[in-house]
Amino acid sequence: MPLKECAFLYSGATPSLSACPAQPAIRGVPAGTESEITAAAAHCPPAPASLGQLTGVRWRSGTQECGRCDRMSPPACSVCRLPALVGLPLLGLLSWQGNAAGYEPTWKSLDSRPLPAWFDDAKLGIFIHWGVFSVPSFGSEWFWWYWQKEKRPSYVKFMESNYPPRFSYEDFVHLFTAEFFDANQWADILKASGAKYVVLTSKHHEGFTLWGSKHSWAWNAVDTGPKRDIVAELASSIRSRAGLRFGLYHSLFEWFNPLFLDDASSAFRRNTFPRAKSLPELYEIVTQYQPEILWSDGDGNAPDTYWNSTGFLAWLYNDSPVRDIVVTNDRWGAGTICKHGGYYTCSDRYNPGHLLAHKWENCMTIDKQSWGYRRNARLCDYLTIEELIKQLVETVSCGGNLLVNIGPSHDGHIPVIFEERLRQMGTWLDLNGEAIFSTKPWRAQNDSVTPGLWYTFKPKEGLLYAIFLNWPSSGTLKLGEPKGIVGKTEVKLIGYEEPLPWISLGEKGMLVVVPQLPFTKYPYQWGWTLQLANAY
């Protein structure tokens, strides 16, 4: 039923209420929601003469279309074009009004912000893709798109063979039960991996939010499905029980949201969707959950100006509750990836194999084919622990962080193969972690003579680490890059007490004699680390 009142909010004043006709709604936003949508002046009482005084107008949806035209909801037509969102910070939505010491809503200013130091020291994070897509758990987390939009034969056949003819994607939400979800158990598993931060998909491209967003009525985990605030529960356990940093992934666009599709049909000259949906959600998760990482994704081929990304980031860096510690990535609109933002991701599974001038992250999956859980995955689709350690070592040696993804099942389990890989990684890091965490890239990232040998460095301690992924059957390991000094350079194998003998190979290079021990058993497995003191 339509709301009978409109609320005009003025800066520094108490909201005043006045009678208002039935308000137009937005297709896909059910009647009676609390979605704070831009109100059209044509449908509401006269606004103040100065738009500078008006922070916004809100309504609850009532009918299915704009009453003054045939277009999709305000502000999608000449009648329904005016003002801003209620309840959101003006900074970034109307005009930037920060102080002179703050960051301006320009990429030049925002890109000058130093990356909080904790992120570079952390090196390893765990990504969690969980949502309604975890129910069909077939093919990919892009299940809805591949089935309904692209109509890929394997997805169509899967639905025809397993579900009634009129079964919709939205029907899957009732099977997203999460009855075995235990945030404390998850926190224990994630901490055991050795990772220092966790990133949860608060909302993927399907639009379903894992918190009770007031901007996603009846399509969130509190109203339906699990009927729990997944974000709140996991954030609490990750921080208080595991002592890890907590971050949130958020998709800017939604595949089938009618507001976004209508904006796209105008070549993004209209921007109803970011003002009505995406930006309110971003402000909501930052103020409610205070994520230390904000992992943006899914620009829908719309530019950053459509998303008002610079305005939001200016608020995030200047005035948000996480302004001093938050880390952001580079996915803030078409054309920003690998160019603007906090750290670069450049592409999924990005691993350049060489040093970059800018901090970067390799986000990758243990399941090589999907980010979400798949029931149709085979054993060969999962990375082995050796492959996972290789990814970690290569990434850190080249100055990056590794974000390892897992996909829980619809009932809240972390599948045992993911748990095994995480615990194996933690076992390796228990021994070799000093060569990973709080390190810097060395002058050479990998060895020029021995394949599969990578370097990290701790300048303050004067320690060089040589991590090798293949045990030398000859009993000696040739290092082509370091220069050792007789009587000064000391070489140790981490986990082995005695110093190792070595000889110089001239101007550069060392030959190290490795001990003859059973290096197929814990703690000597999957990768080994030499610690070199006073090597150059």
Side-chain angles (χ1 to χ4, degrees), residues 126-131 133 176 181 186 190 197-204 209-211 229-235 238 245-251 285 289 291 293-296 403 405-406 408:
I126 305 300
F127 215 172
I128 304 173
H129 273 65
W130 202 29
F133 51 80
F176 184 28
F181 170 59
W186 282 26
L190 299 172
Y197 61 96
V198 173
V199 179
L200 172 70
T201 52
S202 68
K203 185 193 77 171
H204 200 255
T209 68
L210 293 187
W211 80 100
D229 189 331
I230 302 297
V231 174
E233 290 185 42
L234 191 60
I238 289 298
R245 305 268 184 174
F246 183 73
L248 290 173
Y249 165 108
H250 177 269
S251 175
I285 59 176
Y289 306 108
I293 297 176
L294 198 54
W295 217 100
S296 182
L403 186 60
N405 180 74
I406 62 172

Side-chain angles (χ1 to χ4, degrees), residues 491-509:
V491 181
K492 290 184 177 180
L493 176 70
I494 291 181
Y496 183 71
E497 293 184 0
E498 300 298 322
L500 304 184
W502 62 274
I503 59 174
S504 174
L505 296 179
E507 286 297 319
K508 189 172 69 170

Side-chain angles (χ1 to χ4, degrees), residues 77-323:
C77 65
S78 59
V79 174
C80 309
R81 196 174 293 276
L82 214 59
L85 287 167
V86 69
L88 300 183
L90 283 178
L91 179 66
L93 283 179
L94 296 178
S95 61
W96 184 80
Q97 300 173 3
N99 59 54
Y103 296 97
E104 298 180 4
T106 65
W107 286 121
K108 181 178 180 181
S109 177
L110 298 169
D111 289 346
S112 71
R113 177 181 183 258
L115 194 71
W118 73 261
F119 184 75
D120 184 52
D121 289 340
K123 304 302 183 188
L124 177 63
I126 305 300
F127 215 172
I128 304 173
H129 273 65
W130 202 29
V132 177
F133 51 80
S134 304
V135 177
S137 53
F138 175 86
S140 167
E141 74 287 349
W142 278 56
F143 181 92
W144 195 4
W145 181 265
Y146 292 153
W147 168 40
Q148 291 289 339
K149 182 64 176 180
E150 294 190 7
K151 301 188 185 303
R152 294 190 178 186
S154 60
Y155 290 79
V156 173
K157 182 179 179 181
F158 173 81
M159 290 303 298
E160 290 176 347
S161 301
N162 296 284
Y163 296 93
R166 286 184 290 276
F167 193 93
S168 69
Y169 187 81
E170 290 88 338
D171 292 328
F172 280 123
V173 76
H174 305 297
L175 303 175
F176 184 28
T177 51
E179 66 266 33
F180 296 122
F181 170 59
D182 182 336
N184 286 338
Q185 183 187 50
W186 282 26
D188 291 345
I189 294 171
L190 299 172
K191 182 176 178 62
S193 73
K196 303 302 182 184
Y197 61 96
V198 173
V199 179
L200 172 70
T201 52
S202 68
K203 185 193 77 171
H204 200 255
H205 310 323
E206 65 188 10
F208 186 84
T209 68
L210 293 187
W211 80 100
S213 176
K214 62 183 178 181
H215 308 288
S216 189
W217 185 86
W219 193 234
N220 67 74
V222 174
D223 288 345
T224 188
K227 296 189 177 179
R228 300 165 66 176
D229 189 331
I230 302 297
V231 174
E233 290 185 42
L234 191 60
S236 176
S237 292
I238 289 298
R239 287 166 168 154
S240 63
R241 186 180 179 92
L244 307 180
R245 305 268 184 174
F246 183 73
L248 290 173
Y249 165 108
H250 177 269
S251 175
L252 293 173
F253 90 130
E254 297 172 15
W255 286 316
F256 300 110
N257 190 296
L259 294 182
F260 177 76
L261 297 177
D262 188 59
D263 286 352
S265 71
S266 73
F268 301 112
R269 288 187 295 272
R270 292 188 291 271
N271 66 341
T272 307
F273 179 76
R275 293 195 292 164
K277 190 72 163 60
S278 190
L279 283 167
E281 287 175 343
L282 282 169
Y283 285 109
E284 194 174 42
I285 59 176
V286 170
T287 55
Q288 288 188 25
Y289 306 108
Q290 302 185 16
E292 290 144 292
I293 297 176
L294 198 54
W295 217 100
S296 182
D297 191 27
D299 58 47
N301 297 318
D304 64 279
T305 51
Y306 168 78
W307 298 110
N308 197 12
S309 296
T310 55
F312 170 75
L313 289 172
W315 171 81
L316 185 71
Y317 294 167
N318 290 323
D319 298 309
S320 79
V322 291
R323 58 187 174 273

Side-chain angles (χ1 to χ4, degrees), residues 16 18 21 41 97 99 155 189 191 213 219 262 288 325 327 350 393 395 441 454 467 472 494 512-513 517:
S16 61
S18 59
Q97 300 173 3
N99 59 54
Y155 290 79
I189 294 171
K191 182 176 178 62
S213 176
W219 193 234
D262 188 59
Q288 288 188 25
I325 59 171
V327 175
Y350 182 69
V393 171
T395 297
W454 298 82
I467 307 171
I494 291 181
V512 179
V513 179
L517 295 174

Side-chain angles (χ1 to χ4, degrees), residues 1-2 22-27 29-31 60-67:
M1 60 183 295
Q23 299 304 327
I26 294 172
R27 291 191 184 97
V29 181
R60 289 192 182 96
S61 56
T63 62
Q64 291 304 306
E65 293 181 349
C66 172

